[in-house]
Amino acid sequence: MHQLSSLDAQFLDAETSTTSTHVGVLSVLGPTTPGGGLTVQDLRTLAEGRLHLVGPLRWRLQEVPLGLDRPYWVDSEFLDLGYHIREVALTGPGTDEQLAEQISVLSARPLNRNRPLWECYLVNGLTGGRQAIYTKVHPAVIDGLTAAQALAVLMDATPRPRTVPHRLSDEQYQAAGALGMLGNSAWHLALLPARLMWSSLRLAPHLPELARALTVPGADLLGTLARRLTPRAWRWSADEPTAEALTPSGTPFTGPATAHRRFAFTSLPLGEVEAVRTAMGFTVDDVVTALCTTVLRRWLVDHDALPDTAMAAAMPIAGRTDAQFAAAGHRLSLLPIALPINESDPARRLQKVHTSLTTAPQRFRAAPATLVRDFGAALPRALRGLLSRTPLRTLTMPTPPVNLIISHAAGPARPLYAAGIEVTGNFPVSAVSDVAGGITIAAMSYGRHLDIGIIACRNLVPDVWDVTGQLHQALSELTACTRNVRYLRPCRPPESR
């Protein structure tokens, strides 16, 4: 038997009628000759011969009786590829905007928990004879940074598909017996008091900070009470890190999210991003985060909603090794970072982003959200499920209260092919939630370009294509700054045309 980890179960419990936590990748396939495109049967045949390379894609959930404990993984005796791999077609003319709208609809649909937690769609009818493959998977199965690698398993590095010898996965799990599951649950319940005591002691010094981070009515009052009730010695313990805590700023996309999504995507020349990185002496993460900060700043300025303080964001970091690639389980952590959204100068904005990312590990160690996650993991699953449907869901959410999540992952450096057809773009499709903000920006390098996908709650950010369109101008702005880097002069943005 293989039981889900506490964090995996938290990602399941965090899902509501308005929040789905699955992540995905939109792969755009290059032009094909008339009649030479990929068919859904081609895709199913390709998957049938290779899914054994990623065992978790065959697993489904088995719930514990009465929901007393975390579920177990069970190997599916029959995998219905007719259900998991489907096709949709765009009506003319098949533009990128229409493709994004179709992905918005597909990403808003929750995964069926009675089946393995993934789906794949072949999208036909794009302009120029193109096609697309949209794959989504639950983070309890494979985390977001590894989803692209799992997709690469189903693709090839050359136009000629490789032959994959069939071998059953080393990890296969049979259905757990009710008595065995209840016995494990009894043992976990026996350890519950000790786990709750330890988690409570670690969380107590951070109650004032946590209360300030909450975005529910009455949070200010809760913060005041927590500061009065929490012993001063606990709040300023010398053993605790002293990094400044982050709290979400008031922005239009921090309101309650709906179940409806808007998605947009674009590509930036990776060479220009690397040129800025080299000239300014920063990292690619610094440059990508600065670009995201710039477009968010412009959107907030256009909507007369620019906050006076930095925005609280989170950046996923991978904790998965190569040996853990084919194993289930979420191995991501979220670094809290400050976005200098109120800095008008792009060069100084990049410098502040670099400083924020440099100090992020220290802030991560001090973040109460990490302790909240541990506290939520210690709670009985039945109680976590109840809390996740109340304003106290922060205790059970696997992500900290932030304005948004920004991610950047390194993808394949060489072109990939699906049944001989070249993949021209790999665009991440992330998730949106009430706690993690109404917009998420995800970037992934592929070949010589940086593919960026932005997903948002339709009601909070209906004009998500405007955010995407500003990325190219933001990159030109930083490129212009590199000409003055030797003089260390602040660079002003070019005049708008």
Side-chain angles (χ1 to χ4, degrees):
M1 299 188 298
H2 179 67
Q3 192 172 25
L4 274 71
S5 69
S6 296
L7 183 55
D8 294 336
Q10 283 177 280
F11 272 97
L12 290 173
D13 296 335
E15 293 190 321
T16 66
S17 59
T18 60
T19 297
S20 295
T21 60
H22 56 252
V23 294
V25 177
L26 171 64
S27 301
V28 178
L29 308 183
T32 60
T33 59
L38 185 67
T39 68
V40 68
Q41 188 55 48
D42 292 336
L43 199 55
R44 290 169 183 164
T45 301
L46 190 67
E48 185 177 15
R50 300 184 180 183
L51 278 180
H52 62 279
L53 298 175
V54 190
L57 296 183
R58 297 187 56 88
W59 300 347
R60 60 177 176 82
L61 294 171
Q62 182 180 15
E63 296 286 347
V64 175
L66 305 178
L68 294 177
D69 206 350
R70 304 188 304 272
Y72 290 80
W73 289 119
V74 178
D75 192 72
S76 298
E77 297 180 0
F78 171 72
L79 188 63
D80 185 3
L81 292 181
Y83 171 85
H84 286 280
I85 301 178
R86 315 176 213 175
E87 65 178 331
V88 294
L90 304 179
T91 57
T95 62
D96 287 348
E97 288 76 10
Q98 287 179 298
L99 172 60
E101 185 64 23
Q102 181 66 69
I103 301 305
S104 302
V105 174
L106 296 177
S107 66
R109 298 176 184 173
L111 292 166
N112 186 344
R113 295 195 180 183
N114 294 320
R115 297 176 180 268
L117 298 177
W118 66 275
E119 293 175 2
C120 180
Y121 294 86
L122 175 65
V123 185
N124 298 311
L126 277 70
T127 56
R130 299 174 300 154
Q131 295 175 290
I133 299 174
Y134 169 55
T135 307
K136 63 180 184 179
V137 61
H138 200 281
V141 180
I142 300 177
D143 61 62
L145 294 181
T146 314
Q149 300 175 22
L151 180 64
V153 168
L154 302 179
M155 296 186 177
D156 299 283
T158 64
R160 183 176 182 179
R162 69 190 189 278
T163 300
V164 178
H166 184 74
R167 180 177 63 85
L168 292 178
S169 172
D170 293 333
E171 294 184 284
Q172 296 188 45
Y173 303 110
Q174 304 301 319
L179 291 179
M181 290 190 294
L182 291 176
N184 285 342
S185 300
W187 172 249
H188 293 159
L189 288 174
L191 298 177
L192 178 62
R195 295 205 312 269
L196 284 177
M197 177 65 70
W198 172 245
S199 298
S200 299
L201 289 175
R202 296 179 64 212
L203 182 63
H206 298 278
L207 285 177
E209 181 183 342
L210 173 63
R212 292 197 305 269
L214 294 176
T215 56
V216 297
D220 293 338
L221 176 60
L222 181 60
T224 301
L225 292 176
R227 283 190 294 275
R228 292 179 178 177
L229 296 177
T230 303
R232 180 182 298 266
W234 278 18
R235 294 205 304 268
W236 292 305
S237 172
D239 296 332
E240 293 295 331
T242 58
E244 181 183 358
L246 293 177
T247 56
S249 303
T251 61
F253 43 79
T254 53
T258 68
H260 306 291
R261 300 289 178 259
R262 289 297 303 271
F263 177 70
F265 60 95
T266 191
S267 292
L268 297 176
L270 186 59
E272 292 186 22
V273 174
E274 292 177 340
V276 172
R277 171 191 67 82
T278 302
M280 305 290 282
F282 297 121
T283 67
V284 173
D285 277 343
D286 293 336
V287 177
V288 172
T289 306
L291 293 175
C292 296
T293 304
T294 297
V295 297
L296 291 170
R297 170 183 167 81
R298 289 179 178 172
W299 187 90
L300 291 168
V301 169
D302 291 343
H303 291 77
D304 196 24
L306 185 67
D308 296 329
T309 59
M311 287 174 50
M315 176 175 288
I317 56 173
R320 183 185 296 272
T321 64
D322 292 340
Q324 296 169 327
F325 161 62
H330 199 284
R331 290 178 171 84
L332 287 183
S333 296
L334 289 170
L335 284 180
I337 59 175
L339 301 184
I341 205 77
N342 51 345
E343 174 57 62
S344 60
D345 183 88
R348 290 176 179 170
R349 195 181 308 134
L350 177 57
Q351 177 63 59
K352 290 184 177 181
V353 164
H354 171 73
T355 301
S356 178
L357 290 177
T358 302
T359 59
Q362 181 184 3
R363 186 179 288 114
F364 173 73
R365 291 191 297 269
T370 305
L371 303 178
V372 168
R373 187 182 70 186
D374 295 340
F375 181 82
L379 295 174
R381 185 165 188 257
L383 181 58
R384 290 205 311 268
L386 176 63
L387 290 179
S388 66
R389 290 180 285 273
T390 72
L392 297 177
R393 64 188 181 279
T394 304
L395 293 177
T396 59
M397 285 291 288
T399 55
V402 293
N403 290 110
L404 77 158
I405 292 178
I406 295 175
S407 67
H408 169 235
R414 297 181 179 180
L416 296 177
Y417 299 85
I421 304 175
E422 183 178 357
V423 177
T424 59
N426 269 323
F427 303 93
V429 185
S430 194
V432 172
S433 71
D434 289 343
V435 176
I439 183 172
T440 299
I441 306 177
M444 181 169 62
S445 60
Y446 175 63
R448 296 305 304 163
H449 45 91
L450 185 71
D451 294 337
I452 301 175
I454 302 180
I455 192 166
C457 169
R458 181 183 293 265
N459 288 31
L460 299 178
V461 189
D463 50 352
V464 66
W465 276 104
D466 292 345
V467 181
T468 309
Q470 293 284 354
L471 282 167
H472 295 268
Q473 185 176 352
L475 180 56
S476 298
E477 201 174 84
L478 285 181
T479 300
C481 289
T482 62
R483 304 188 187 102
N484 298 327
V485 67
R486 69 179 63 182
Y487 303 107
L488 298 178
R489 296 174 180 172
C491 178
R492 297 297 175 185
E495 296 294 331
S496 302
R497 289 183 293 178

